[in-house]
Amino acid sequence: MKKLELLAATALTLFLATPAMAQDATPATQDSDTVQGSDEIVVTATKRETTLLDTPIAVSVTSSDTIERAQIRDLIDLQSVVPSLRVSQLQSSANTNFIIRGFGNGANNAGIEPSVGVFIDGVYRSRSAAQIADLPSVQRVEVLRGPQSTLFGKNASAGIISIVTAKPQFEFGGNIEASYGNYNAIVVKGNVTGPLSDSVAFSIGGNYNKRDGYVRDVALNQDVNDRNRYGVRGQLLFEPNSDFSIRLIGDYDKIDESCCAVVNVINGPTGAIVGALGGNLDRANPFSYRVYNNFLSSNDIKNYGGSGQIDFNVSDGLSLTSITSYRKVDAVTNQDSDFTSLDILGRNYQDLNIGTFTQELRMASDFDGPLNFLVGGFYFDEKIRQHNEIQYGAGGRAYANALVQAQSGGALSLPVLESTFGALEGAPTRYTNTFYRRGDGLNENYRLNNRSFSVFGTVDFEITDKLTLTGGLNYTDDRKTFSTNVTSTDVFAAVNLDAPQYAAFRQQLLFQGGLAAQIGTALGLGRSATAAEIGAFAGGNPAAFGAISAGVTAFANANQNNPAANPLAGLRALQFLPPFMNIPNAVEAGRTQDDNLSYTIRAAYKLNSNLNFYATHATGFKASSVNLSRDSRPTAASLAALRTQNLAVVNLTSGSRFANPEKASVFEVGLKGQFQNFAFNAAVFKQEIRGFQSNVFTGTGFTLANAEKESVFGVELDASLSPVKALNFTFALTYLDPKFDSFANGGAIGPPTASGGLTVIGANLTGTRPAGIPKFAVSSGVDFTQPLSDSITFLAHADFNHSSNVQIAESTTAVVQQLRREINLLNLSAGLRFSNGMDISVWGRNVTNDTYLSTIFSSTAQQGSISAYPSMPRTYGVSGRFKF
């Protein structure tokens, strides 16, 4: 604690002494976020309009002015000015992962619910595919850190991102912006608002974002990781008087992109096989931004919906708010998931449809007396329909044959296995040319229905004019039903290598392998003997050979039906797409039912008009997440029951169908200050999540597990200083010390397998530091505003984002533990603002071209290789904006 206090004090001292700042606290700029005639920022973090100083919650506010100056296009860019927030794009354009204070999860798996809730104008966006559109006409973005379940009805165990857009205005106006940058990046967006009558106003806006890819697919001679998206958004505001209003919003976004490029970080033994068969990959060269595929990965995503908000002042000091929404996501993606130009996997296709209905109803008081309250309810109804296909490509059979030959030292091949298995089953041609046949694979259908309701409320009681006590409760009931209809046509993966009819084959292999090993030992070779060496030994040492042969024969006869000694066991790693155990079944019901009571206790003490202290203890909750992927498997207990009832499909192994709920808890103290030219927010907290839902990407699916307990101790400091009117410095620091207090069966990239590969395993991660969470995250920035004349103002902005060196993924092997990430991003902009509403600027993001790996995973069907998603390179351009 003493070290952390020294750290915080040192950071603040450096901030006051040097102009190295960032945007996370409240900039002293007059825009739509400020109280009229003052520099105070208005936020709605507590679902009431309060100033940032009077909001006793750890919240970062990014204003529309900062978004414009920093060229923040979407939520991925937002992390450059909010150090406690980490955002990464993963398997597709529809997949974004949000992490606050080291907690969060998400994946290209619609059954996994996020720990960080995203709300746009009060409407919950349940999945990342519905969250990643370019930011609309924004007033501000609020990032609430820590559990927020007593204020929000769904999945707020780690925090909240709340985007607040501008309402229609009863005065005609608008804006239009155009930007051009490297990679032929073109961004155009605009918004028009005005009155239709004395009581009805409208706004309509649109955006278009197109860019060439910054990664080159050498095999296809095309660019990938491009941008091609557009959106429209319309609003109507009906406001007949000051006590009643209806706000209607409709929006539509479309994405049609080739994303997301995967690079090779570690080239395992299979890389040489890929090359020998005519394929290619850029070996262990992740920042060349060159890849090799045999078809482009595609993303065709539609995200659309509408909402209606009714606000009614029931009486003096009492208001009622209703927010109703319905949203749809249609996402069709396809990916070359072997990430080489060899056609190993010819298709990894997904057609995802999500329909989400939400209804929130709340009543809030604003009495003059000491007692005020907010009470509400939230209803959520979502239906997910998902169809997947994964198939072997034209090169899959040759590649698998090479793996079999390499693993067996040339003794086995696919034709040998096909003919031998067929003959032993009494049908010699049964398997001829069927193993790894082009077009074979999995045909998958998943369904998930989720209904949830919650009742929440908070009460504020002013003990004195300085001290306010707050208590809050949230009761949530969440129910899911899910089902699968998955069929496998992978013939080899359906072969039971322990089957009794293969006993003679196993006996033969045991004898041959044992004899070669024993004679190699007798000859002192340090390896198995070759056939020629065995023959020479037999001829020269008949007695010794006879004894060895007799011993090996006895062992082979005794163990031909022993699974632990099965010489074919190494081939199981090559049974990539085995039969799937569908659910529901006689053992597994295919449903979850969770309920929880969360609470908040807070004391806020206003030391004076400039300083506010608060202390909070809060809990949060996130319901179960369902594994809608081909890696969904029964638990060990369910597998045993299925086998007892002879229901288990062949080659079925244990895993998980879903991750159990998360329960979060935080103890936090904070101090906020607001002065004429200086503002700061400081917080110290201890936060933990019991049952943290961990998911690991396996290359074509996901494994889910619950960490029994994960905790983090942290310090956050945000500050803003305007020493003169022309300058505004900002600085934000986050220190995190996380650990897995208990995680007995974690997902990790493990040690080499018998075939020389790396695999995802269950590992005891108890006591380790969770990967991907930096110890320090710092954002610093400066804004310079200088009038050049009565009609022209010069504007300049710089921000720097640093995340300290951190291990990228959980792993039990040194080669993967050495893969680490450090982020140092510098963003710059400068321009002119004219009194007629015109702005012209030049800008650059990541101007130093910093490179890092966002995520790593075991390469698909390539034992020993590691793949990754690389960072985006430097971008720059010019922008023009006109407000009227």
Side-chain angles (χ1 to χ4, degrees), residues 154-461:
K154 183 76 170 172
N155 293 348
S157 59
I160 290 292
I161 300 172
S162 176
I163 300 172
V164 182
T165 72
K167 292 181 179 180
Q169 302 296 306
F170 285 92
E171 181 178 349
F172 183 77
N175 63 80
I176 186 170
E177 176 185 346
S179 176
Y180 181 79
N182 58 332
Y183 302 107
N184 288 317
I186 299 173
V187 176
V188 180
K189 59 183 179 179
N191 186 74
V192 176
T193 186
L196 295 177
S197 68
D198 291 341
S199 60
V200 180
F202 81 98
S203 71
I204 185 167
N207 62 81
Y208 174 76
N209 189 339
K210 187 174 180 61
R211 185 198 67 215
D212 293 341
Y214 57 83
V215 176
R216 187 67 177 174
D217 193 312
V218 180
L220 299 174
N221 194 31
Q222 296 190 60
D223 293 331
V224 294
N225 279 32
D226 62 337
R227 276 285 173 91
N228 184 21
R229 54 183 66 178
Y230 68 86
V232 293
R233 194 170 196 263
Q235 298 189 66
L236 284 176
L237 177 64
F238 175 61
E239 197 171 74
N241 54 60
S242 60
D243 291 326
F244 182 77
S245 68
I246 300 176
R247 184 185 183 186
L248 302 177
I249 303 174
D251 63 88
Y252 178 90
D253 295 303
K254 177 74 161 60
I255 296 175
D256 185 6
E257 299 172 351
S258 176
C259 179
C260 300
V262 170
V263 295
N264 178 259
V265 181
I266 296 177
N267 181 35
T270 57
I273 296 176
V274 170
L277 294 174
N280 208 344
L281 69 159
D282 203 358
R283 295 168 173 82
N285 192 16
F287 300 116
S288 67
Y289 294 98
R290 296 192 305 268
V291 297
Y292 292 80
N293 294 285
N294 50 278
F295 67 89
L296 283 179
S297 297
S298 60
N299 299 263
D300 185 356
I301 302 161
K302 302 179 185 70
N303 172 34
Y304 52 95
S307 66
Q309 177 171 335
I310 301 174
D311 291 292
F312 177 50
N313 290 330
V314 179
S315 62
D316 288 343
L318 200 61
S319 62
L320 183 68
T321 298
S322 171
I323 302 176
T324 308
S325 78
Y326 182 75
R327 302 205 58 81
K328 283 279 291 180
V329 174
D330 299 323
V332 178
T333 61
N334 194 15
Q335 186 178 56
D336 182 5
S337 290
D338 59 73
F339 311 118
T340 74
S341 60
L342 183 65
D343 190 15
I344 301 172
L345 291 175
R347 184 174 177 84
N348 189 6
Y349 170 88
Q350 182 181 92
D351 185 353
L352 173 66
N353 297 277
I354 304 175
T356 308
F357 172 81
T358 64
Q359 173 64 58
E360 181 176 356
L361 184 66
R362 65 178 186 263
M363 179 174 286
S365 69
D366 187 17
F367 301 136
D368 292 333
L371 187 69
N372 277 287
F373 68 88
L374 180 147
V375 63
F378 180 80
Y379 177 74
F380 176 89
D381 189 345
E382 184 170 76
K383 292 179 173 60
I384 298 175
R385 304 293 181 263
Q386 179 179 311
H387 173 69
N388 290 46
E389 297 175 15
I390 185 168
Q391 300 172 355
Y392 293 122
R397 179 175 170 84
Y399 176 74
N401 186 58
L403 293 180
V404 170
Q405 289 180 315
Q407 188 182 89
S408 65
L412 299 176
S413 65
L414 291 186
V416 168
L417 292 173
E418 289 169 339
S419 61
T420 302
F421 291 153
L424 292 172
E425 293 179 20
T429 61
R430 172 175 293 169
Y431 295 120
T432 302
N433 296 321
T434 63
F435 291 176
Y436 301 95
R437 183 170 48 200
R438 183 180 187 181
D440 282 357
L442 289 177
N443 186 292
E444 309 163 64
N445 292 282
Y446 305 93
R447 298 168 67 93
L448 172 64
N449 296 331
N450 181 197
R451 290 186 177 180
S452 174
F453 73 88
S454 62
V455 179
F456 57 89
T458 60
V459 176
D460 297 327
F461 183 61

Side-chain angles (χ1 to χ4, degrees), residues 489-508:
T489 55
D490 184 344
V491 178
F492 179 65
V495 172
N496 181 4
L497 300 175
D498 292 323
Q501 59 263 42
Y502 304 149
F505 187 34
R506 292 192 295 268
Q507 191 274 345
Q508 176 188 346

Side-chain angles (χ1 to χ4, degrees), residues 97-154:
N97 187 20
F98 301 102
I99 296 174
I100 294 178
R101 290 179 170 176
F103 294 110
N105 49 33
N108 195 26
N109 183 333
I112 300 176
E113 299 198 21
S115 300
V116 176
V118 175
F119 292 77
I120 299 180
D121 290 324
V123 175
Y124 176 57
R125 302 293 182 96
S126 65
R127 296 296 187 272
S128 61
Q131 301 164 351
I132 60 170
D134 291 359
L135 294 177
S137 180
V138 172
Q139 278 190 319
R140 64 186 177 272
V141 179
E142 303 171 5
V143 179
L144 285 66
R145 307 188 289 266
Q148 307 295 332
S149 292
T150 59
L151 291 170
F152 296 87
K154 183 76 170 172

Side-chain angles (χ1 to χ4, degrees), residues 669-692:
V669 294
L671 182 66
K672 298 190 174 196
Q674 177 76 53
F675 303 89
Q676 183 173 1
N677 297 312
F678 174 61
F680 73 90
N681 306 313
V684 179
F685 59 90
K686 179 64 180 293
Q687 187 169 330
E688 67 178 43
I689 289 185
R690 293 183 181 272
F692 176 73

Side-chain angles (χ1 to χ4, degrees), residues 398-644:
Y399 176 74
N401 186 58
L403 293 180
V404 170
Q405 289 180 315
Q407 188 182 89
S408 65
L412 299 176
S413 65
L414 291 186
V416 168
L417 292 173
E418 289 169 339
S419 61
T420 302
F421 291 153
L424 292 172
E425 293 179 20
T429 61
R430 172 175 293 169
Y431 295 120
T432 302
N433 296 321
T434 63
F435 291 176
Y436 301 95
R437 183 170 48 200
R438 183 180 187 181
D440 282 357
L442 289 177
N443 186 292
E444 309 163 64
N445 292 282
Y446 305 93
R447 298 168 67 93
L448 172 64
N449 296 331
N450 181 197
R451 290 186 177 180
S452 174
F453 73 88
S454 62
V455 179
F456 57 89
T458 60
V459 176
D460 297 327
F461 183 61
E462 294 183 7
I463 304 297
T464 69
D465 59 349
K466 294 180 178 293
L467 177 62
T468 300
L469 299 182
T470 298
L473 293 173
N474 177 306
Y475 174 77
T476 296
D477 183 283
D478 185 281
R479 305 183 185 205
K480 296 182 176 73
T481 59
F482 57 96
S483 62
T484 67
N485 181 13
V486 180
T487 58
S488 173
T489 55
D490 184 344
V491 178
F492 179 65
V495 172
N496 181 4
L497 300 175
D498 292 323
Q501 59 263 42
Y502 304 149
F505 187 34
R506 292 192 295 268
Q507 191 274 345
Q508 176 188 346
L509 294 175
L510 284 170
F511 175 79
Q512 292 173 346
L515 187 64
Q518 291 285 345
I519 291 177
T521 300
L523 293 173
L525 300 177
R527 57 172 174 80
S528 295
T530 64
E533 290 166 338
I534 293 173
F537 181 84
N541 305 277
F545 176 78
I548 292 174
S549 179
V552 170
T553 300
F555 177 83
N557 290 337
N559 289 276
Q560 58 185 317
N561 289 310
N562 179 8
N566 189 344
L568 298 172
L571 298 178
R572 290 196 182 100
L574 306 181
Q575 294 181 304
F576 295 128
L577 305 172
F580 188 91
M581 189 72 216
N582 282 306
I583 187 172
N585 53 57
V587 173
E588 302 172 290
R591 67 170 61 97
T592 65
Q593 181 176 348
D594 309 313
D595 65 338
N596 183 75
L597 183 65
S598 301
Y599 61 88
T600 297
I601 303 171
R602 180 185 301 114
Y605 187 76
K606 198 160 189 175
L607 300 169
N608 53 46
S609 60
N610 303 111
L611 292 171
N612 201 341
F613 170 83
Y614 70 89
T616 298
H617 172 49
T619 63
F621 173 73
K622 188 183 87 167
S624 300
S625 286
V626 179
N627 191 356
L628 299 184
S629 86
R630 56 188 60 98
D631 286 320
S632 171
R633 297 184 180 92
T635 64
S638 295
L639 176 58
L642 288 166
R643 286 176 173 167
T644 298

